[in-house]
Amino acid sequence: MTRQFDYVRSDVTFDSSGTRCAAWLYRPQGVANPPIVVLAHGFAAFRELRLDAYAARFAQAGYAALVFDHRHWGASAGFPRRILDIGRQQADWDAAMDFTRRIEGVDTTRVVGWGSSFGGGHVLRLVARDRRLAAAIVQVPHVSGPASAFFQSPRAVARLIAAGMRDQFRAWTGRSPYRLAAVGRPGDTAMMTAPGAYELVERMGDMREELLAENDVAARIALRMPFYSPGRHAAAIDVPVLVQLAAHDEVTPIDTARSVVDRIPKGEVHVYECGHFEPYLDPFFDTIVTDQIHFLDRHVGDAR
């Protein structure tokens, strides 16, 4: 039976372009200089939406983990709240990596980037540029702006663009953001409206009202999504990457994702019979995180 380690979780912060980012640092006890996995969430999400479950499993397997919130989200600073700025989030990842490499007691030659959904796209871009990373794990990753942005009906897309223009005008004139629900039910005006998605996000947040109350995002991101395609960096990635795809993905079409990630030279692709939000939840979570730990063991573990 594989040994399970006890671990300690502590609150830490790091600076990203003058703004404080909040993070949890997980340290497995009794492990000298463990590898470390750096995790952040996807579109309009934050740590409490089940990233702690992944980090805890990594720590129990003997890996350190740093779980952070992007600026404007969760416990991190940044105002206005719940602005999804692609460039700032990319800078947050750079800052998180700089911070990680200054942490004492971890092996900074074995740093792994971990991202889910929109955050998975950020990690693909990061690992193509930062040659110091040892490996990466991307779960249901955002790879193509057009494929994701236009996956809804033309009428829904038109509503999102109109909302984005309204919010952008408010930003230009110094007013508070015009917001949309990040996840809604079919027929709602929301960034993601796949059947069952809202109910799955409720489960991810354990039905906690304070988390569900933050289910919105400044609508200007609807104008930027079509132009963000981090999958174009796939061929430039030269380290092992575990790519986990959902066969019934309602947000990132699997055919598009598969065509992109097949270009990663050292990519390892697993497909699961689930939807976009289900990797975080039973009955799929245990299989998916176990596959991630096996990947870590093979590529950055002490028994390599």
Side-chain angles (χ1 to χ4, degrees):
M1 181 176 178
T2 303
R3 178 182 175 186
Q4 283 203 336
F5 295 91
D6 292 328
Y7 64 89
V8 175
R9 187 180 93 177
S10 57
D11 292 313
V12 298
T13 62
F14 60 89
D15 178 87
S16 181
S17 303
T19 302
R20 176 188 56 80
C21 286
W24 293 321
L25 177 61
Y26 290 72
R27 290 183 182 271
Q29 295 185 309
V31 182
N33 294 316
I36 184 165
V37 185
V38 182
L39 305 88
H41 225 311
F43 189 93
F46 37 89
R47 298 174 297 171
E48 286 85 356
L49 296 177
R50 295 284 294 168
L51 289 198
D52 52 344
Y54 285 94
R57 290 288 294 269
F58 295 152
Q60 289 168 347
Y63 297 94
L66 182 78
V67 187
F68 73 93
D69 279 330
H70 296 105
R71 279 178 285 174
H72 304 280
W73 295 91
S76 291
F79 188 82
R81 302 304 297 162
R82 298 187 297 284
I83 299 286
L84 202 166
D85 186 297
I86 294 170
R88 290 184 184 184
Q89 291 197 349
Q90 291 170 345
D92 294 344
W93 271 100
D94 292 338
M97 290 298 167
D98 289 343
F99 174 77
T100 299
R101 293 183 176 111
R102 298 194 302 270
I103 297 173
E104 294 183 0
V106 303
D107 187 344
T108 58
T109 69
R110 291 185 289 170
V111 179
V112 179
W114 185 105
S116 187
S117 191
F118 210 66
H122 292 334
V123 169
L124 288 175
R125 177 186 177 276
L126 175 73
V127 75
R129 297 169 62 250
D130 188 340
R131 301 297 179 177
R132 295 171 294 174
L133 283 167
I137 297 170
V138 292
Q139 177 177 286
V140 291
H142 170 81
V143 296
S144 167
S148 293
F150 301 116
F151 201 47
Q152 298 194 46
S153 69
R155 177 178 291 184
V157 170
R159 289 201 300 261
L160 293 178
I161 292 173
M165 293 175 64
R166 178 177 176 180
D167 181 45
Q168 187 61 66
F169 181 77
R170 292 179 67 88
W172 285 335
T173 55
R175 291 187 285 172
S176 61
Y178 176 72
R179 302 181 181 280
L180 290 176
V183 182
R185 297 181 172 89
D188 292 347
T189 300
M191 294 299 301
M192 293 173 279
T193 58
Y198 185 82
E199 289 74 18
L200 289 169
V201 172
E202 285 184 315
R203 287 178 57 196
M204 288 166 61
D206 292 327
M207 307 296 288
R208 290 160 58 186
E209 290 295 333
E210 69 273 21
L211 299 182
L212 297 175
E214 297 193 5
N215 175 37
D216 62 39
V217 61
R220 69 198 69 169
I221 187 59
L223 305 180
R224 293 160 174 77
M225 278 280 290
F227 304 100
Y228 184 46
S229 296
R232 71 177 186 270
H233 302 287
I237 299 171
D238 63 358
V239 297
V241 180
L242 173 62
V243 184
Q244 296 175 303
L245 303 178
H248 310 292
D249 201 321
E250 316 87 349
V251 177
T252 300
I254 187 171
D255 290 343
T256 301
R258 190 68 190 250
S259 69
V260 168
V261 300
D262 280 348
R263 302 202 302 268
I264 300 175
K266 298 178 183 178
E268 176 182 325
V269 181
H270 292 198
V271 179
Y272 305 86
E273 290 296 322
C274 65
H276 186 82
F277 294 98
E278 292 180 290
Y280 306 96
L281 301 165
D282 294 332
F284 301 101
F285 169 75
D286 189 68
T287 297
I288 285 170
V289 74
T290 297
D291 287 346
Q292 294 176 6
I293 291 169
H294 288 165
F295 173 83
L296 293 172
D297 290 344
R298 291 197 309 274
H299 294 290
V300 298
D302 290 330
R304 284 178 299 170

